Amino acid sequence: MIRTFSRLSLLILLALPGSYGCSQQSTEAVVERNVAMKTRDGVILRADIYRPAADSKVPVLLQRTPYNKDGGDDFARRAVTRGFMVVIQDVRGRYASEGEWYPFKHEGNDGYDTVEWAASLPNSNGKVGMWGGSYVGATQMLAAVSHPPHLAGICPVVTASNYHENGTYQGGAFEQWFNQSWTSGLAQDTLNRTIRHNTNALLGDTVLPLQKYPLFNMQVSPDAAKLTQQLAPYYLDWISHPLYDDYWKQWSIQEQYGSIQVPALTIAAWYDIFQGGSLRNFEGLKAHAGNETARKEQRLLVIIGGHAGGGEHIGSVDFGPAAGEFEEGNAALEWYDYLLQGKQNEFATEKPVKIFVMGENKWRYEDTWPLERAKETRYHLHSSGKANSVSGDGALSTADSRTELPDQYLYAPLNPVPSTGGPLCCDPEHLPAGPRDQSTVESRPDVLVYSTPQLEQDLEVTGPVLLDLYAKSSAVDTDFTAKLVDVWPNGFAQNLTEGILRARYRDSIKEAHPIEPGKVYEFKIDVWSTSNVFLKGHRIRLEVSSSNFPRFDRNLNSGKDQSTDPTVVKATNTIYHDQEHPSTLILPVVPR
């Protein structure tokens, strides 16, 4: 197996079981810890419940999390002061809850059971709203698909729509950094639980007080395979299902928008790993939610960082005071003040879409997403065959393609283009996310760089970005990557959004079709979305290459199963941009 990256020591701490059923009184809330709930199949899940001290009936805010319910204390106490009861539950197989942890598998039924249980608790008025981010967004969406009668709304923050194509894979490429770092972090609790209950369960009589980080990689020795199977069998399942098949469809949200019958505040982020899925969720629910009320009550809020960070300073860019106005907990509380308590705030009085426009660094309300007034504008790739690196002659312009020499580079899988910022998760200490200077990446000969001249006036790009690329390869399979960049007058090259397409999945993520070496194909690369004003004096730039590692696994170019076959093939990849093959960057330009 080839998908590997740096391993760093990580001490595994043995968690101690908590005490169950205790309660405590505070001036703000009555708190009950580890309250048991039995699911329909008899598994005990435990939750912390925060009740108002007064004996009144109030709406319930529910969170179901794999990340330890103890982390929600601050939000819960704030919510109680605003007239809510809060229930925070560890999902099946995590921390205080019993059962087996397997992502997505039980969230529909367990979510339904928990919503109905929460609605019946003392002090509940029968209305339940859910909130939270990342996987906690998945617990909401999958619960909503099962439409429990007392669920009144959801607030999924930076979460996916299709767990194959937006999280585990993208464009057919394995999301290596996320899959390995997220799985390793989650497996910590699984390992702790296993050791607590049976210190001999792992690798015979071997006790494992120390592991390497990440716990999982693609070079699986017999002992490592046994460990992976015990701690995270789902990781092996993800690798064995590279296609969008029935394994993924069973819990794909986008296949089931019609089953969701409640209003949602969807929070997306420009630099977030789930940006594409979050925006797709809003569009899908707006068009296909199960009733007219739900369709009308969809809201979208697009922030900057998401998993890439928050506040005014994200990555290497200061986005100013307006960026610091967003706080996830406040947004959720404002949403439920409006939805469950009838308060007239911005969700009642403003337009349904609110986005942060980078460059200008301002918030703006919109009628819908994508923006109807955005004009699809084609920027054609140009060069005399020497667009390699920022020192080359690659250019972008709205002028049509003409007779030009193609650009060519050698993609060597063992020397991949390094991931530099972008929509990364979940280990910023070892691989920082967000906007970062791409100058080092752009100095490589295996990165093609196409830039406009300095802009004579501000130009806004807001909406989906697409690269229509004509290319060939000497190999039977390879990847093509695209990155949209804002180049400042001082040379700082700020990445905005990026995409990837594995050549064998150019037609469909449901089937693989190898390419014929030497044949030119058209590749439509989804570069996701952005909202950015390229200021006067800045330049629009496109980077094209064949790797973005370790965010994505390296394509070994052999066309074989990379999880079992380590064969590495170098590929000479050629990009065409002439009248017959008009490679084009398609940008949604907003008139100003």
Side-chain angles (χ1 to χ4, degrees):
M1 307 280 188
I2 296 295
R3 299 173 183 136
T4 60
F5 52 81
S6 175
R7 295 179 172 193
L8 302 168
S9 296
L10 175 69
L11 183 63
I12 290 178
L13 303 177
L14 302 182
L16 297 176
S19 58
Y20 297 141
C22 60
S23 65
Q24 62 190 53
Q25 180 81 33
S26 89
T27 57
E28 298 179 345
V30 176
V31 184
E32 296 178 88
R33 302 289 186 190
N34 293 302
V35 179
M37 184 208 82
K38 183 179 289 188
T39 65
R40 65 187 68 184
D41 61 351
V43 172
I44 299 298
L45 308 182
R46 293 187 172 89
D48 292 343
I49 300 176
Y50 297 74
R51 306 176 189 274
D55 186 16
S56 57
K57 298 292 186 180
V58 296
V60 179
L61 300 186
L62 168 66
Q63 181 173 104
R64 304 188 61 253
T65 178
Y67 304 123
N68 194 341
K69 57 183 170 52
D70 294 351
D73 187 80
D74 177 70
F75 173 88
R77 294 180 185 279
R78 281 194 288 154
V80 168
T81 66
R82 293 171 72 141
F84 297 98
M85 183 168 75
V86 178
V87 177
I88 307 178
Q89 182 187 75
D90 290 325
V91 300
R92 183 181 297 233
R94 301 293 295 166
Y95 294 93
S97 290
E98 298 175 2
E100 176 191 2
W101 159 248
Y102 193 105
F104 315 121
K105 185 176 182 178
H106 302 285
E107 307 306 356
N109 288 342
D110 287 356
Y112 182 106
D113 294 348
T114 305
V115 168
E116 294 306 293
W117 170 76
S120 69
L121 290 170
N123 293 109
S124 168
N125 70 0
K127 295 181 179 180
V128 179
M130 302 180 74
W131 94 97
S134 195
Y135 186 88
V136 181
T139 67
Q140 299 174 64
M141 301 293 281
L142 292 168
V145 164
S146 68
H147 43 85
H150 291 90
L151 182 63
I154 56 176
C155 181
V157 182
V158 293
T159 196
S161 60
N162 168 341
Y163 303 114
H164 172 274
E165 187 58 13
N166 187 213
T168 311
Y169 292 86
Q170 184 179 326
F174 189 69
E175 292 240 25
Q176 177 168 332
W177 181 256
F178 168 71
N179 293 333
Q180 292 183 338
S181 61
W182 187 74
T183 303
S184 295
L186 288 169
Q188 188 71 61
D189 178 61
T190 305
L191 180 59
N192 293 343
R193 294 159 69 97
T194 304
I195 293 177
R196 282 204 308 270
H197 291 97
N198 184 357
T199 57
N200 294 324
L202 298 173
L203 305 182
D205 294 328
T206 304
V207 178
L208 299 174
L210 182 68
Q211 275 295 322
K212 297 293 184 179
Y213 179 84
L215 295 179
F216 310 112
N217 57 63
M218 301 299 292
Q219 293 179 328
V220 183
S221 66
D223 281 351
K226 181 178 179 181
L227 176 63
T228 303
Q229 185 62 45
Q230 291 181 338
L231 294 183
Y234 48 88
Y235 179 80
L236 299 178
D237 290 341
W238 296 346
I239 293 171
S240 64
H241 289 273
L243 299 175
Y244 182 55
D245 57 17
D246 289 343
Y247 172 83
W248 297 104
K249 290 179 182 178
Q250 63 184 317
W251 40 61
S252 173
I253 301 302
Q254 70 185 50
E255 302 276 349
Q256 305 178 82
Y257 288 136
S259 296
I260 296 177
Q261 301 180 3
V262 296
L265 168 60
T266 298
I267 300 180
W270 301 128
Y271 285 96
D272 189 74
I273 187 174
F274 301 127
Q275 183 226 96
S278 296
L279 295 175
R280 193 177 299 118
N281 281 336
F282 171 76
E283 294 179 63
L285 290 173
K286 187 77 173 173
H288 304 295
N291 58 67
E292 185 177 358
T293 299
R295 291 191 292 274
K296 287 183 177 179
E297 288 285 11
Q298 298 302 315
R299 302 289 190 273
L300 175 65
L301 173 61
V302 190
I303 59 177
I304 307 168
H307 286 92
E312 296 185 25
H313 196 96
I314 301 172
S316 300
V317 176
D318 185 346
F319 289 98
E325 295 173 5
F326 172 78
E327 196 275 321
E328 180 181 324
N330 286 338
L333 290 171
E334 289 287 318
W335 168 240
Y336 284 119
D337 279 348
Y338 158 71
L339 190 66
L340 300 185
Q341 305 208 59
K343 296 182 180 179
Q344 297 300 294
N345 56 29
E346 65 175 319
F347 292 109
T349 59
E350 298 288 355
K351 296 179 179 181
V353 175
K354 182 179 180 182
I355 62 175
F356 190 90
V357 183
M358 299 181 290
E360 279 191 339
N361 296 335
K362 295 179 180 179
W363 295 101
R364 192 171 72 207
Y365 289 94
E366 296 287 349
D367 292 317
T368 190
W369 177 269
L371 278 58
E372 293 181 354
R373 69 183 183 281
K375 181 180 179 181
E376 185 178 278
T377 305
R378 295 176 174 268
Y379 283 80
H380 295 269
L381 281 61
H382 298 283
S383 81
S384 60
K386 299 178 182 178
N388 307 73
S389 85
V390 73
S391 300
D393 64 356
L396 275 180
S397 78
T398 54
D400 289 342
S401 301
R402 50 186 183 269
T403 302
E404 295 178 354
L405 293 175
D407 294 304
Q408 190 175 90
Y409 59 91
L410 178 67
Y411 164 48
L414 299 184
N415 182 27
V417 177
S419 302
T420 305
L424 297 166
C425 178
C426 302
D427 184 359
E429 179 182 353
H430 300 122
L431 194 59
R436 306 279 170 177
D437 188 7
Q438 304 299 304
S439 297
T440 301
V441 168
E442 293 173 351
S443 69
R444 294 174 58 108
D446 56 352
V447 177
L448 304 181
V449 178
Y450 303 92
S451 308
T452 66
Q454 288 188 330
L455 298 176
E456 296 181 356
Q457 59 185 11
D458 294 354
L459 185 146
E460 180 183 336
V461 172
T462 295
V465 178
L466 177 72
L467 176 60
D468 190 359
L469 190 72
Y470 290 85
K472 72 178 182 181
S473 178
S474 63
V476 297
D477 191 42
T478 195
D479 289 350
F480 290 103
T481 64
K483 188 180 296 180
L484 179 65
V485 178
D486 181 347
V487 185
W488 300 17
N490 64 3
F492 179 79
Q494 176 188 346
N495 52 306
L496 294 173
T497 187
E498 59 193 50
I500 190 169
L501 182 60
R502 188 146 291 179
R504 74 181 94 161
Y505 302 118
R506 66 196 178 279
D507 298 322
S508 173
I509 56 174
K510 299 178 181 179
E511 295 181 320
H513 300 286
I515 58 175
E516 180 182 332
K519 180 180 177 179
V520 179
Y521 293 88
E522 182 180 14
F523 299 96
K524 293 184 180 293
I525 304 176
D526 183 357
V527 197
W528 284 9
S529 297
T530 193
S531 181
N532 184 70
V533 176
F534 292 83
L535 300 175
K536 179 181 178 180
H538 287 226
R539 287 181 288 165
I540 303 171
R541 175 169 291 170
L542 170 70
E543 298 173 13
V544 176
S545 191
S546 290
S547 51
N548 182 347
F549 178 80
R551 184 185 173 201
F552 301 107
D553 70 323
R554 297 163 287 183
N555 193 327
L556 304 185
N557 301 327
S558 67
K560 299 177 181 178
D561 183 353
Q562 298 189 177
S563 67
T564 58
D565 192 319
T567 303
V568 177
V569 177
K570 293 182 179 180
T572 298
N573 292 337
T574 305
I575 308 301
Y576 288 83
H577 41 82
D578 53 41
Q579 291 177 327
E580 186 179 355
H581 309 101
S583 292
T584 308
L585 175 66
I586 304 172
L587 299 178
V589 175
V590 178
R592 298 176 65 80

